[in-house]
Amino acid sequence: MAPDAVAATMRALGPDWPGEALAAGPITEGAAPAYAKSGVHALVSSAPYHALPAEIDVVFEPG
């Protein structure tokens, strides 16, 4: 569902709906704010699994 459809669904459920709603799927960094504003309780994204490989360096330094 698009973010506006998710927001409409959340409005239809109303504030007293006792469930938890999650938005899931390939939610991109650009779309995440719209989903976050839709009223869902959490985002679950598979977008990192579809991203291009990245080189990540980790450096440990004494405390």
Side-chain angles (χ1 to χ4, degrees):
M1 294 171 63
D4 57 341
V6 174
T9 301
M10 295 307 295
R11 285 192 301 274
L13 291 171
D16 295 327
W17 181 64
E20 294 289 322
L22 307 175
I27 298 171
T28 63
E29 182 180 358
Y35 280 101
K37 292 177 186 174
S38 71
V40 295
H41 299 101
L43 304 180
V44 181
S45 177
S46 61
Y49 297 104
H50 302 286
L52 295 175
E55 290 292 327
I56 299 173
D57 292 327
V58 177
V59 177
F60 292 95
E61 297 180 3

